[in-house]
Amino acid sequence: MSNISIKTPADIEGMRIAGRLGSEVLDYITPFVKVGVTTGELDRLCHEYMVNVQGTIPAPLNYCPPGYTPYPKAICTSVNDVICHGIPGDKVLKDGDMVNLDITVIKDGYHGDNSRMFLVGKPTILGKRLSEVTYECMWLGIAQVKPGAHLGDIGHVIQQHAEKNGYSVVREFCGHGIGKVFHEEPQVLHYGRPGTLERLEAGMIFTIEPMINAGRREIKEMGDGWTIKTKDKKPSAQWEHTILVTETGYEVLTVSAGSPPPPAFITQASAAVTA
């Protein structure tokens, strides 16, 4: 626990602003995600919007954790069998593709980190279902968040829901603490056993970002040192929000006017609690 920072009220307000701005980049780029666009063009548009309109800094650009080369772009664009960290470039989106856009902005030193799935043109049945189940996985994980709960509770419900639907959970990448540092403690695994790992306290902020594969969970790293693909070449999906642990539950920080609504089972459960 000693390495997990509890955010101050000023930190939380800064993270609310950064989170909303991160989500607004996804709102902005949504109309451009269509057949014929390149992932490089999506990166260019997002980069210009962040810098010129929002006055934010794209956190991934030149990000260089130990053992990596600097990441060369402003966003991540992960298409079809790319699990995460897909580098934008000349790839043209085709009818039926699915793509995850992962956006992190920095505003006044605070990081707003989120991602959404986009189904290009006419979606495939598999792509639509995989994206829906992954979205449900993320929200089931979010719904576990409250003081006294454990990180293992989050991973458990995500793993159960994914595997119940015939999918698998990527183990090598996970959610993370976030604030003025892009990636900090705790690690938020998307699999596990309830009642295990760190106990949640009000003031913690971390991401929940399950990566769910249509096939097996094994991964392979590409030669660029960043792009991660499914080993069996089957598609993968991911959704991500940044979450604050509140005194009574949770607050999703990465929300904006264009955010997709929570699944019905989440809103119904919330209504039952407040009734």
Side-chain angles (χ1 to χ4, degrees):
M1 283 297 299
S2 59
N3 293 329
I4 301 176
S5 69
I6 302 298
K7 304 300 190 281
T8 67
D11 291 332
I12 291 168
E13 188 52 37
M15 289 296 288
R16 283 195 184 105
I17 294 168
R20 175 178 54 78
L21 290 167
S23 186
E24 286 177 353
V25 179
L26 287 165
D27 294 353
Y28 163 75
I29 201 62
T30 295
F32 298 99
V33 185
K34 55 189 177 183
V35 174
V37 73
T38 65
T39 54
E41 176 68 0
L42 296 176
D43 176 77
R44 184 188 69 80
L45 289 164
C46 288
H47 192 176
E48 290 183 356
Y49 182 78
M50 290 182 224
V51 173
N52 298 333
V53 177
Q54 294 186 327
T56 60
I57 298 167
L61 185 60
N62 296 317
Y63 179 63
C64 189
Y68 285 77
T69 56
Y71 187 80
K73 296 291 183 175
I75 69 172
C76 297
T77 54
S78 300
V79 183
N80 297 335
D81 64 336
V82 177
I83 297 169
C84 61
H85 304 158
I87 299 174
D90 296 333
K91 184 170 184 61
V92 177
L93 296 184
K94 306 186 303 297
D95 193 48
D97 280 348
M98 51 194 299
V99 58
N100 175 274
L101 300 186
D102 194 342
I103 305 287
T104 307
V105 302
I106 306 172
K107 183 69 171 179
D108 299 328
Y110 293 101
H111 291 74
D113 186 4
N114 62 161
S115 81
R116 295 180 198 166
M117 291 301 299
F118 295 85
L119 303 174
V120 182
K122 184 182 180 188
T124 65
I125 293 170
L126 172 60
K128 188 169 185 290
R129 182 66 183 143
L130 179 60
S131 180
E132 286 173 353
V133 169
T134 305
Y135 191 62
E136 292 166 358
C137 283
M138 176 186 69
W139 274 102
L140 284 165
I142 291 170
Q144 301 303 306
V145 175
K146 61 182 179 182
H150 290 260
L151 286 174
D153 303 340
I154 298 170
H156 176 71
V157 295
I158 290 172
Q159 182 180 5
Q160 292 283 103
H161 192 62
E163 293 179 354
K164 181 179 73 176
N165 283 276
Y167 302 142
S168 61
V169 179
V170 172
R171 306 291 181 101
E172 292 83 357
F173 296 90
C174 60
H176 53 89
I178 189 168
K180 287 188 171 178
V181 178
F182 194 173
H183 297 92
E184 60 185 30
E185 293 297 324
Q187 292 192 337
V188 182
L189 306 181
H190 302 118
Y191 61 94
R193 291 182 292 114
T196 63
L197 306 177
E198 288 87 348
R199 184 184 295 270
L200 303 185
E201 291 184 23
M204 290 180 179
I205 297 179
F206 49 79
T207 69
I208 297 177
E209 47 180 304
M211 288 154 251
I212 307 298
N213 293 349
R216 296 174 59 85
R217 68 176 179 85
E218 286 80 13
I219 70 170
K220 61 179 179 180
E221 182 180 311
M222 306 311 290
D224 59 29
W226 281 100
T227 304
I228 303 296
K229 290 189 174 186
T230 59
K231 196 169 184 180
D232 62 11
K233 298 184 169 59
K234 292 185 177 178
S236 184
Q238 180 185 21
W239 290 83
E240 176 183 13
H241 269 313
T242 296
I243 311 299
L244 165 69
V245 185
T246 67
E247 296 290 344
T248 56
Y250 66 85
E251 178 184 340
V252 180
L253 300 180
T254 38
V255 290
S256 56
S259 295
F265 63 80
I266 295 292
T267 50
Q268 288 163 1
S270 298
V273 168
T274 55

